[in-house]
Amino acid sequence: DSKSFDREVKSVCSYCGVGCQLSFKVKDEKIAWVDGIDGPSNESRLCVKGRFGFDYIAHPHRLTKPLIRRDDAPAKGLNVDPANPFTHFREASWEEALDFAAKGMSRLRDDTGKRVAGFGSAKCSNEEAYLFQKLIRQGFGHNNVDHCTRLCHASSVAALLENVGGGGVTATFNEIENADVAIVIGANPTENHPVAATYFKQFAKRGGKLIIMDPRGQGLKRHSSHMLQFRPGTDVAMLNAIMHVIVEEELYDKQYIAGFTENWEAMKEHLTGFPPSKMSELCGIDEATLRDVARTFAGARAGMIFWGMGVSQHIHGTDNSRCLISLALMTGQIGRSGTGLHPLRGQNNVQGASDAGLIPMFLPDYQSVADDGVRSAFNEIWGGDIIDREKGLTVVEIMDAIHADEIRGMYILGENPAMSDPDADHARDALAKLEHLVVQDIFLTETANYADVILPSSAWPEKTGTVTNTNRQVQMGRPAVAPPGEAKEDWWITVELARRLGLDWSYTHPSQVFAEMKLSMKSFDNITWERLEKEAVTYPSLSPEDPGQPILFADGYPRPDGRARFTPANVTAPAEVPDEQYPMILTTGRQLEHWHTGSMTRRAAVLDWAEPEANASMHPKTLRRLGIEPGSIMKVETRRGAINIMARADRAVSEDMIFVPFAYVEASANILTNPKLDPVGKIPEFKFAACRVSAT
Ligand code: SF4
């Protein structure tokens, strides 16, 4: 009851891109519990992470003082004493730590001009993401700034920008209420977007046809009308076969294609090479099912397509998304209520951080750094001839550039590449090689172990700022409690560093940053800080009263002649296929209870209690064949390295595959993963590598 808490603070969940609104109940300056409230994406619902995953912010491991690496610390590495994790660092004042951080970076900058790169965070606010990319671009004169979108939906965004002219979703996921058919491919919403999954289940309960396409079984399977458990890595073959049927049986929307698209004839011609009779063997789905799915989706009154990282994290991730876009375009399932394309975003603010320009090739609102007009507009706002015309390096490329001695320093805010980058040993060696590493975070993460200076920052429930969820809904985050000890809000730390790098920054509140963002970001037209204090707004908003547009592209596309494009895609084999030495397929991902690299959820008591041990899933038949008991420790090896991890039996995983979550440092999945990149989206192939598994 209202007497059992001192105050309530309305904010947004700190975990996934669904962006559920919630209310923190604060008692004695601590969050006592959390309730869901009526936000546009959750209507008071919360999942287990949103409801029970908040206590990480009060964990004793929180960083509360700035830290500087001791002069006598041994070589940088992960092997700190678990009983005394801070042993290689000494406490410092903010003044000393900020001076030390800035001096190291400016020394590298003034020495060479290009030797400091930045990873910002999709867990920070829009304003913090904007400031971070501005600091790298303005402070160092290059575009070597990126964040974890490169590891999740970079390929989806590349395909959307190329073919429909916008990187966001074309329809909110709640629009499924108005659909009669929906495809969910390469996504596991019951684990990774649980509140969105409740809408999908309700849709199925009302009679909507839910078509699931995934190499792994999943929770939505029992709500589905079709479950296509296709062979991993064969997305293009399967989708092209479905589109082949749509062409062959003339199920496409002639009027829509003629009015709103280009390159149709080439697409039609291309698809003749993908008959389901041939593709069926490749993708492992029988011809009748491929035909039935084609007829069901093309015949829908209103159809939507949702996808996740099962689509995007391949060397052909951009091609996978191109196919999904083509499928929507040829059936006219876009631009109307209950239709559209929706890549389900991962982090709570990965949409907003990308919109804010935390990517090496685009300034805010996906405006190209290579465009002279764009650069001069930003130069005018930022004051000076500042912005480099060359695209910067992406996440994995930055690690390679460190090994090649092209980058010598980094500023990493809220990212954990020692755990999240593919071929983690390669990434860790790169971090160890840096001359100067500044890490800003809330915990001594695996990455912070390699730092020269650590700046203690604020968790999401401790800060003020806006975030943008997977639905393009911009919402206000509010501080429920103060950061612990001397920890500070991230925007404040970035501003202090910028000043010490010689930049003339005078922001004293995130609202000032938001006002500056509006000068260059059309997506924020009609959205003001004051408005966001009162309500969530979906961009684009057409007037100060318009709550925003859930559906995009009703009247055409922001492309030449207003037309979307069909881009044909060919079948590409995964970068590393199983062979005699490594006969199985490794795939990686998340679990319901643990968030990404586990730094928050493994310190959240209820979540850690529910899923306390590193575990990997295999089919029970495969475990039997390999002589591995469920619950025992097995060894998983690839050409990059090996881990020991507990075996879990799971019939959802196909017999030639192992699924390893990437949240566990003691069995780090990314020791194993393949760093080969999609050539367009520059996303690594986390979803496919050759591996072998044995009993220990
Ligand atoms: Fe938080 Fe996502 Fe769960 Fe909503 S669905 S409560 S945003 S983790």
Side-chain angles (χ1 to χ4, degrees), residues 30-260:
K30 289 202 170 80
I31 297 175
W33 78 91
V34 172
D35 287 327
I37 58 174
D38 193 14
S41 64
N42 68 316
E43 296 174 294
S44 303
R45 306 166 205 193
L46 291 178
C47 78
V48 66
K49 287 192 285 284
R51 189 171 294 284
F52 298 114
F54 56 86
D55 56 333
Y56 71 91
I57 69 163
H59 195 278
H61 288 172
R62 278 295 298 273
L63 296 171
T64 57
K65 290 203 164 146
L67 300 170
I68 291 178
R69 180 170 287 276
R70 287 183 184 283
D71 292 337
D72 59 355
K76 292 177 180 176
L78 263 191
N79 301 324
V80 295
D81 173 6
N84 188 7
F86 298 108
T87 187
H88 300 156
F89 298 93
R90 65 173 174 83
E91 290 179 0
S93 68
W94 269 108
E95 206 60 25
E96 184 190 5
L98 288 165
D99 285 347
F100 182 82
K103 211 175 273 176
M105 291 197 279
S106 54
R107 183 176 51 77
L108 290 170
R109 173 192 63 186
D110 300 339
D111 186 17
T112 63
K114 280 214 172 189
R115 290 194 167 163
V116 178
F119 288 170
S121 175
K123 282 236 138 333
C124 286
S125 67
N126 290 327
E127 298 74 35
E128 288 166 340
Y130 176 87
L131 286 182
F132 191 90
Q133 59 86 35
K134 183 175 173 181
L135 179 134
I136 298 295
R137 292 187 156 114
Q138 190 176 19
F140 299 102
H142 59 70
N143 296 303
N144 292 327
V145 60
D146 207 354
H147 76 296
C148 71
T149 190
R150 193 66 41 208
L151 308 178
C152 73
H153 267 306
S155 49
S156 311
V157 172
L160 286 165
L161 285 168
E162 172 190 55
N163 296 295
V164 299
V169 299
T170 77
T172 63
F173 69 74
N174 312 72
E175 275 296 318
I176 198 170
E177 288 179 0
N178 303 315
D180 59 342
V181 179
I183 291 174
V184 178
I185 174 169
N188 188 355
T190 49
E191 304 250 337
N192 301 325
H193 301 85
V195 166
T198 64
Y199 289 85
F200 297 180
K201 289 176 199 168
Q202 283 174 333
F203 159 79
K205 209 169 164 188
R206 282 196 312 273
K209 287 191 172 149
L210 194 56
I211 301 169
I212 307 294
M213 301 172 174
D214 203 315
R216 263 203 313 152
Q218 54 164 279
L220 285 181
K221 180 177 173 179
R222 63 198 161 95
H223 303 272
S224 66
S225 60
H226 302 71
M227 176 73 208
L228 279 63
Q229 204 160 340
F230 62 99
R231 291 214 172 90
T234 62
D235 317 55
V236 171
M238 179 180 69
L239 294 167
N240 276 353
I242 289 168
M243 290 192 282
H244 174 102
V245 175
I246 291 172
V247 173
E248 186 186 63
E249 300 188 6
E250 295 198 28
L251 305 173
Y252 48 90
D253 186 334
K254 294 183 186 74
Q255 217 176 335
Y256 190 84
I257 291 168
F260 290 99

Side-chain angles (χ1 to χ4, degrees), residues 614-648:
N615 61 85
S617 303
M618 287 170 71
H619 196 282
K621 277 190 193 165
T622 317
L623 288 173
R624 266 200 302 279
R625 179 170 60 76
L626 296 172
I628 299 167
E629 280 292 317
S632 69
I633 300 297
M634 60 185 170
K635 185 174 189 181
V636 188
E637 295 168 87
T638 67
R639 289 184 174 83
R640 270 72 55 198
I643 61 170
N644 288 334
I645 191 164
M646 188 179 75
R648 179 173 283 175

Side-chain angles (χ1 to χ4, degrees), residues 1-6 25 33:
D1 66 62
S2 62
K3 292 208 181 91
S4 51
F5 58 89
D6 301 329
K25 302 295 192 298
W33 78 91

